[in-house]
């Protein structure tokens, strides 16, 4: 565990930018400073041509246990409704979902409420097999405000999402193995190596086409098929005209010299 006091730690590993939620004493619960730091890193990573993939993980015993209840009560006692803060949280997660660069959530310990919602906004999820995952809001007489009621059904299916939302129950990562939402479930000792390998696979495909495809996937989410298909064709046309796709295809189709040819 690192002892740096910044709410969010940043490490650049080649073309992968790692963001480490760093409030371990609160299980990385989201407060104003952490959300602001995360939002700034979205802007920074998207503008950096040397960053192809962004991974987000948690320092200490958990990935993220949700919103910081101390923050909620401080706002309430000061005469403010927490909805203002949660509007910023929701907007931050929506920026991650809409980002042209792939995001990977690396889960361990707990991914609950806002922690679950952060993971749901990412494109790929990797989890330690002992991670406890759930919405949890109703256990505290709260309702979601960071996207779980919207994104969870598409991630794990209507039945399981309704159960998690309406009971607040936490389930181990292994319970999500058949949903397709978590890309890899591994022992915690293998989590970093597995996440690093997955990030590199994504980074190897970094290109304007990948970024346009990521944007397309977000834009067509929830659209009727006929509208989504038009968006797909429009994105193909934009990608074809704006980059050297034809040259790349020509190079792919050009026979490569064999060893016999070079003798």
């Amino acid at each position: 565990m690192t002892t740096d006091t910044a709410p969010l730690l940043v490490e650049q590993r080649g073309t992968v930018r790692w963001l480490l939620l760093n409030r371990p004493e609160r299980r990385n619960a989201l407060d104003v400073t952490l959300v602001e730091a995360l939002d700034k890193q979205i802007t920074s990573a998207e503008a950096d041509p040397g960053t192809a993939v962004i991974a987000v993980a948690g320092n200490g015993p958990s990935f993220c246990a949700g919103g910081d209840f101390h923050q909620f009560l401080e706002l309430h006692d000061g005469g403010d409704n927490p909805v203002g803060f949660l509007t910023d949280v929701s907007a931050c997660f929506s920026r991650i979902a809409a980002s042209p660069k792939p995001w990977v959530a690396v889960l361990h310990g707990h991914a609950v409420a806002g922690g679950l919602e952060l993971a749901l906004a990412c494109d790929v999820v990797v989890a330690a097999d002992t991670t406890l995952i759930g919405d949890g809001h109703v256990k505290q007489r709260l309702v979601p405000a960071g996207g779980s009621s919207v994104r969870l059904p598409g991630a794990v299916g209507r039945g399981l999402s309704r159960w998690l939302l309406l009971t607040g129950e936490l389930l181990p990562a292994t319970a999500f193995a058949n949903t397709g939402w978590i890309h890899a479930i591994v022992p915690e000792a293998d989590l970093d190596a597995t996440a690093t390998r997955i990030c590199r696979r994504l980074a190897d495909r970094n290109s304007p086409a990948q970024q346009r495809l990521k944007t397309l996937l977000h834009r067509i989410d929830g659209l009727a098929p006929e509208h989504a298909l038009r968006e797909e064709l429009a994105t193909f046309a934009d990608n074809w005209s704006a980059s050297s796709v034809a040259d790349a295809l020509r190079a792919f189709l050009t026979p490569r010299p064999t060893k016999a040819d070079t003798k």
Side-chain angles (χ1 to χ4, degrees), residues 5-19:
T5 59
L8 186 71
L9 305 181
V10 182
E11 179 185 358
Q12 193 77 24
R13 303 184 194 174
T15 58
V16 180
R17 182 171 299 194
W18 281 76
L19 306 180

Side-chain angles (χ1 to χ4, degrees), residues 4 14 23 30 51 59 108 136 147 150 157 214 219 227 231 250:
D4 196 310
R23 302 186 72 224
L30 302 165
T51 295
N59 184 28
H108 79 287
V150 177
K214 168 67 199 297
R219 193 164 62 240
H227 298 306
E231 289 285 345
R250 189 172 290 109

Side-chain angles (χ1 to χ4, degrees), residues 215-235:
T215 300
L216 170 68
L217 292 172
H218 174 72
R219 193 164 62 240
I220 65 176
D221 190 26
L223 285 183
E226 61 271 22
H227 298 306
L229 289 168
R230 284 199 292 269
E231 289 285 345
E232 183 184 64
L233 281 169
T235 301

Side-chain angles (χ1 to χ4, degrees), residues 48 52-53 75 127 133 135 137 173 193 209 217 221 230 245 250 258:
D48 179 15
V53 176
L75 290 168
I133 300 171
D135 182 71
H137 283 101
L217 292 172
D221 190 26
R230 284 199 292 269
V245 177
R250 189 172 290 109
T258 64

